[in-house]
Amino acid sequence: VPAIVPASVLGRAAKGKSRSGVPAPSDRVTVGLIGTGRQGSGNNLQGADLKALGTRILGLLDVPEAQVVAACDVDSWRLNRAKTIVEARYAQNTAAGRYRGCATHADFREVLARRDIDAVMISTPDFWHVPMGILAAKAGKPFSCEKPLSMSVHQGRRLVEAVKKYGVVNRTDSEFRSLRPQNQAVELVRNGRIGQLRRVDVTFPSDPAPVPPQADMPVPKELAYDLWLGPSAWVPYTEMRVHTPFDLTKRPHWMRVDTYAQGMIANWGAHYFDVAQWANNAEYGGPVEVQGRGEFPKSLWNTMVNFEVTYRYANGVELTCRQTPTSTPNIRYVGSEGWVNVEGYPGVITASNPALLDSKPGAGELDLSKTLWDKTDFIEAVRTNRPTLEPIEVGHRTISISQIGLIACQVSPGEKLTWDPARELFVGNNAANALLAAPLARTEWAGV
């Protein structure tokens, strides 16, 4: 098997900056995959077939210009499974049908320290995203990071500052901008096909019932639990806090514990608020008012459920998101002359006038029909040192909407709060502003 040479040796500096401007024909971006759970080993590594759209989400293994050379996880079963997947795929491209070239690591800092790795894909639980992203930037590694990007507005801003300071290529990892029904809807709105945008209505899928407090359990042999907890406070292990052992088919349990994630307003909001702001031409800004109500279960799974939050932008556009016990994913853009709707995932697009769906962009109008898949976009950006379609600043602005909505429901249910998107502060509400920061609990991560 030929040795894999990092792209930094073949014509680019370690930060992805071009020396010659033309990469060598054999040039590949060497990638370290950090996090090999359901999302990491699934969409991010292997991709997925979207039969409803007759297309495929491209994973890293589908991108010829990328070479996955290392995988990292604190769960050794998941880690070894990812290694097997990588080596089996690359073996198909060798004459002998064999390949051994995917290293394994339990500690992500070992991956960042490797000089033969050009870029990293961060696919870990949400509370790890900012520490890992900042350290990746410090190490000069271009990175793509799963959404939701952060656990607080202040955290997200620090991540944005890190990528600017160290000048690394960066991307918020989300396939929504590449799904044709989603970007076609944005295209129609931005090109004025429904008149002036007035309102965006979003519904999120329902959540499973919260689980009651759980008994402490022995830590599974395959899990480095203390390293999994990382920057969060130490608590005894119980399965319903982490993930189901030896199973990548189920959503992880940590997604419903507010220490590690912020529930569906963040998980689905990271998708829908992104395209909503994109359609409203506000992806680098945010709303000026927010109000909402939600329920906070008194259980181990305690993220907000059954919520309704409304935002208003300076241009008058109103964005409302709802979740109920029976709701399904949907986004509807309502304008002065009609509407366009995308129902479900990956999405079925309809419009008030079906002829709108046959509309083609004219000269000077936005055309998103050839949008790259997220992994291809990231790898091409690393190769050419160009901005990605969804940089960290955009991902931060997206998840900030989730976070200020959550704060409104926590601090002043039903009351209207004023938000300053330029300063990223609530106006005249100290209680709400106090929740904009989520400090890291363990001192060894305090400087990150």
Side-chain angles (χ1 to χ4, degrees), residues 108 112 122-138 143-163 166 231 260 262 392 395-396 399-400 403 436 438-440 445-448:
F108 74 95
L112 298 181
I122 299 172
S123 310
T124 58
D126 299 356
F127 69 104
W128 264 115
H129 291 169
V130 168
M132 287 184 178
I134 290 176
L135 290 176
K138 284 184 176 180
F143 69 93
S144 183
C145 186
E146 264 295 337
K147 78 301 164 211
L149 273 184
S150 72
M151 293 291 289
S152 76
V153 173
H154 286 182
Q155 258 195 6
R157 179 50 58 192
R158 290 187 65 191
L159 184 58
V160 171
E161 291 170 351
V163 297
Y166 297 104
Y260 317 117
Q262 294 175 322
I392 293 297
H396 163 64
I399 205 59
S400 293
Q403 290 158 349
L436 292 174
L440 301 174
W445 296 101
V448 172

Side-chain angles (χ1 to χ4, degrees), residues 288-361:
V288 295
E289 290 179 355
V290 55
Q291 61 182 341
R293 294 181 181 275
E295 299 174 15
F296 295 86
K298 304 294 184 182
S299 63
L300 174 62
W301 287 4
N302 60 352
T303 54
M304 184 173 68
V305 296
N306 301 331
F307 51 83
E308 180 170 340
V309 184
T310 299
Y311 308 83
R312 187 181 67 80
Y313 288 79
N315 63 357
V317 171
E318 186 173 274
L319 167 64
T320 298
C321 67
R322 300 177 182 85
Q323 184 205 44
T324 71
T326 59
S327 56
T328 57
N330 194 84
I331 185 166
R332 176 176 289 234
Y333 305 90
V334 180
S336 58
E337 299 174 18
W339 55 262
V340 61
N341 192 88
V342 184
E343 180 181 5
Y345 180 91
V348 175
I349 187 169
T350 54
S352 52
N353 178 0
L356 288 177
L357 303 182
D358 296 323
S359 171
K360 304 298 181 185

Side-chain angles (χ1 to χ4, degrees), residues 77-92:
W77 178 79
R78 293 177 167 210
L79 179 59
N80 291 327
R81 184 179 180 277
K83 174 184 172 70
T84 299
I85 291 169
V86 172
E87 295 186 338
R89 175 72 71 89
Y90 289 149
Q92 297 173 7

Side-chain angles (χ1 to χ4, degrees), residues 380-399:
E380 285 303 306
V382 174
R383 286 169 57 85
T384 61
N385 196 39
R386 64 158 173 78
T388 60
L389 177 61
E390 193 171 354
I392 293 297
E393 173 74 40
V394 171
H396 163 64
R397 291 290 184 172
T398 295
I399 205 59

Side-chain angles (χ1 to χ4, degrees), residues 203-245:
T203 57
F204 297 153
S206 58
D207 247 352
V211 299
Q214 301 284 297
D216 298 349
M217 300 170 63
V219 178
K221 293 180 180 179
E222 73 278 2
L223 179 66
Y225 181 56
D226 193 64
L227 191 52
W228 184 88
L229 288 170
S232 66
W234 191 89
V235 287
Y237 171 83
T238 187
E239 180 183 315
M240 300 305 282
R241 184 188 305 281
V242 186
H243 56 247
T244 304

Side-chain angles (χ1 to χ4, degrees), residues 393-416:
E393 173 74 40
V394 171
H396 163 64
R397 291 290 184 172
T398 295
I399 205 59
S400 293
I401 304 178
S402 302
Q403 290 158 349
I404 66 173
L406 179 60
I407 290 171
C409 294
Q410 291 171 316
V411 172
S412 304
E415 295 182 17
K416 190 175 294 183

